[in-house]
Amino acid sequence: MMDYNDILKEIYEEVKPLLGKGRLADYIPALSCVDSNSLGIAIVSVDGEVCKVGDAETNFSVQSISKVYTLAMAFAEHGVGLWDYVGKEPSGNPFNSLIQLEHEQGIPRNPFINAGALVITDKVLSLYKKPKNAILDYVRKVADNEDIYFDKEVARSEKDEASRNLALAHFMQSFGNIQNDVDRLIDVYCHHCALSMNCVDLAKSFLFLANHGENPFNGDKLLSRSQAKRLNALMLTCGCYDESGDFAFRVGLPGKSGVGGGVVAIIPGELAIAVWSPELNEYGNSLVGVEALEHFTTKVDKSIF
Ligand code: GLN
């Protein structure tokens, strides 16, 4: 891989003045305790080379980025049948919106809004006796790091404030689109959102998507080429909720964000890049993270277009 260390340092200095312009997620109380000035970036190439800057090895809460792992797990098992339960259209609404669900008979627009991710987590619950272990196992393998855990404090904090996600799950259950006990579902969902990882882990963990579905660390074929293409397409069109169009416009890569302030993107066949800066913009995406990714694709003149 080309040496991106100098470019990362440049980007770091360019975006740093934006710190202080966003807002920490506070609807999950434990997320409001992080240092809002944190900023890290890591790039990992498909052959495992790492470039990084700033707080790239400080752990944080990955939140919705975890929806990519559960989707990959469920998609590998269900194949095209999965799309009977969840759509593949951008929603144009905030990530935790209830608005479309009644019109659309309990079938969420896509697997990355909370409603869709709950349907996917429900599938993971049906597939595995110990779903939390299965998810942890999967993430440790794709990130090539046995030392990844759920942050129990963050999981508990989200479960204490889960009325909205409980409402989404119960509502979809009334349409027959949730099979498992809702409290168990929310418990597993809050745990996978509470995965504690850093930028290097995150970039590594997305390499299988940059590598046509194959985990470059152990050769496991996790998704077919076609499934990897589809999952990447969903990240491009839905990965940043109602800011996905703007993200595609500015960054030009498939990517996924979380309210912990992480955002990961991939260049197919080449690399994954993860940024962490916990302050969010009005759409719940990392304000500095999106900016840093825009600087990156502009500077290196690469995108999927
Ligand atoms: N756990 C968060 C929630 O359900 C995830 C949201 C996000 O990262 N956008 O609200």
Side-chain angles (χ1 to χ4, degrees), residues 27-28 63-64 67 95 114 158 165 189 193 241 257-260:
Y27 75 101
I28 300 174
Q63 293 299 318
S64 281
K67 295 170 180 174
F95 63 86
N114 284 11
E158 182 168 6
N165 284 328
Y189 173 83
C193 287
Y241 315 109
S257 67
V259 289

Side-chain angles (χ1 to χ4, degrees), residues 242-286:
D242 41 343
E243 196 184 17
S244 298
D246 199 57
F247 185 85
F249 183 84
R250 291 172 61 192
V251 178
L253 297 176
K256 185 75 202 81
S257 67
V259 289
V263 50
V264 197
I266 61 150
I267 300 185
E270 224 172 298
L271 57 80
I273 174 168
V275 189
W276 175 50
S277 167
E279 291 180 343
L280 309 178
N281 63 23
E282 63 189 294
Y283 302 101
N285 299 314
S286 172

Side-chain angles (χ1 to χ4, degrees), residues 105-250:
Q105 305 284 301
I107 310 287
R109 272 284 170 102
N110 68 66
F112 292 142
I113 49 172
N114 284 11
L118 288 164
V119 167
I120 297 297
T121 303
D122 183 60
K123 294 287 173 246
V124 173
L125 254 72
S126 301
L127 286 167
Y128 299 93
K129 268 211 182 79
K130 296 191 165 177
K132 287 192 245 180
N133 290 357
I135 294 167
L136 208 48
D137 237 44
Y138 191 93
V139 174
R140 287 172 174 174
K141 285 211 177 88
V142 288
D144 194 35
N145 181 0
E146 283 301 307
D147 206 25
I148 290 173
Y149 294 94
F150 300 122
D151 182 330
K152 295 256 155 65
E153 185 53 44
V154 173
R156 191 175 326 114
S157 177
E158 182 168 6
K159 274 171 69 178
D160 286 346
E161 302 292 330
S163 310
R164 219 179 161 90
N165 284 328
L166 281 162
L168 285 166
H170 280 294
F171 195 50
M172 292 189 289
Q173 195 170 51
S174 77
F175 286 102
N177 200 19
I178 293 289
Q179 309 307 321
N180 293 280
D181 175 70
V182 165
D183 290 329
R184 235 187 111 223
L185 168 61
I186 296 294
D187 178 62
V188 174
Y189 173 83
C190 290
H191 275 81
H192 73 65
C193 287
L195 276 163
S196 174
M197 295 166 73
N198 59 44
C199 291
V200 175
D201 291 331
L202 276 176
K204 284 186 173 172
S205 74
F206 271 51
L207 283 181
F208 76 101
L209 292 167
N211 194 38
H212 308 296
E214 185 179 315
N215 182 350
F217 299 108
N218 62 7
D220 280 357
K221 192 82 194 147
L222 299 170
L223 295 174
S224 70
R225 284 180 84 93
S226 156
Q227 286 173 328
K229 175 195 79 178
R230 294 183 195 290
L231 205 153
N232 289 337
L234 283 167
M235 287 206 288
L236 183 78
T237 54
C238 315
C240 293
Y241 315 109
D242 41 343
E243 196 184 17
S244 298
D246 199 57
F247 185 85
F249 183 84
R250 291 172 61 192

